[in-house]
């Protein structure tokens, strides 16, 4: 029988951040955002820093993830993320300060490794800022 919901699991090395039955999940794939509905064909996707969105009934929820992997199955989506925060748990001032530090480091970078680390930190911060600002709307 066709399923009407998907079980969404968002897991980090520290904790399970989401474990809920949802209607749809959207995630920041490495090659662009993708959506998964119940009964989707199985696939595995690498994620980049960004927002994971999911809907339960009329309610849209937002998370920030710093990258990882998504496994999409017909009845379940599992997101393994390095870090993940529900939008409502994000400290917006901390994320803004992290973005500023990262931008400063990008200006002062000494080598390629500095650049990559600072750019990754900047992208994590931007994802958190976007998710937190959306949650306030
Ligand atoms: P910062 O420099 O502010 O620590 P960061 O990008 O280096 O930011 P991470 O190493 O990605 O931080 O995350 C460390 C831990 O802190 C993780 O558990 C992550 O979920 C949490 N975290 C990071 N930034 C925030 C934030 N703005 N609000 C809430 N939790 C956060």
């Amino acid at each position: 029988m066709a399923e009407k919901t998907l079980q969404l699991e968002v897991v980090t090395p520290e904790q399970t951040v989401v474990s809920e039955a949802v209607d749809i999940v959207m995630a920041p794939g490495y090659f662009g955002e993708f959506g998964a509905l119940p009964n989707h064909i199985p696939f595995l996707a690498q994620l980049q820093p960004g927002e994971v969105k999911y809907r339960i009934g009329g309610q849209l929820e937002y998370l920030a993830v710093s990258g990882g992997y998504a496994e999409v199955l017909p009845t379940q989506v599992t997101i393994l993320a390095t870090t993940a925060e529900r939008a409502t748990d994000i400290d917006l001032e901390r994320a803004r300060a992290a973005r500023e530090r990262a931008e400063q480091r990008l200006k002062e970078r000494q080598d390629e490794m500095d650049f990559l680390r600072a750019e990754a930190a900047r992208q994590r911060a931007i994802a958190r800022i976007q998710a937190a600002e959306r949650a306030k709307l």
Side-chain angles (χ1 to χ4, degrees):
M1 202 178 87
E3 297 293 332
K4 292 208 169 80
T5 59
L6 277 170
Q7 182 65 22
L8 173 63
E9 301 286 328
V10 180
V11 180
T12 72
E14 291 174 346
Q15 59 178 329
T16 296
V17 180
V18 177
S19 178
E20 287 184 76
V22 308
D23 299 320
I24 184 171
V25 181
M26 281 153 287
Y30 199 78
F31 299 106
E33 185 179 65
F34 65 85
L37 287 160
N39 308 301
H40 203 291
I41 53 164
F43 72 97
L44 190 64
Q46 192 175 349
L47 302 180
Q48 57 179 324
E51 289 175 280
V52 168
K53 303 169 213 167
Y54 59 96
R55 209 179 61 216
I56 304 179
Q59 185 73 21
L60 199 51
E61 305 284 347
Y62 298 91
L63 297 167
V65 295
S66 61
Y69 292 91
E71 179 194 51
V72 176
L73 299 175
T75 60
Q76 177 156 328
V77 173
T78 305
I79 292 180
L80 295 177
T82 313
T83 64
E85 304 89 34
R86 287 178 181 268
T88 46
D89 292 336
I90 291 170
D91 178 338
L92 188 51
E93 289 314 311
R94 175 176 166 182
R96 286 184 175 141
R99 182 178 61 183
E100 268 181 38
R101 277 197 308 280
E103 285 172 351
Q104 195 56 39
R105 278 161 49 206
L106 283 169
K107 283 189 201 141
E108 295 164 358
R109 69 179 196 259
Q110 305 284 324
D111 57 34
E112 185 69 12
M113 192 51 83
D114 285 350
F115 173 81
L116 293 174
R117 290 170 65 113
E119 182 55 21
R122 191 179 74 90
Q123 288 184 18
R124 290 197 299 277
I126 288 171
R128 288 174 178 135
I129 291 164
Q130 281 179 345
E133 284 182 341
R134 265 196 236 279
K136 285 164 97 187
L137 294 178

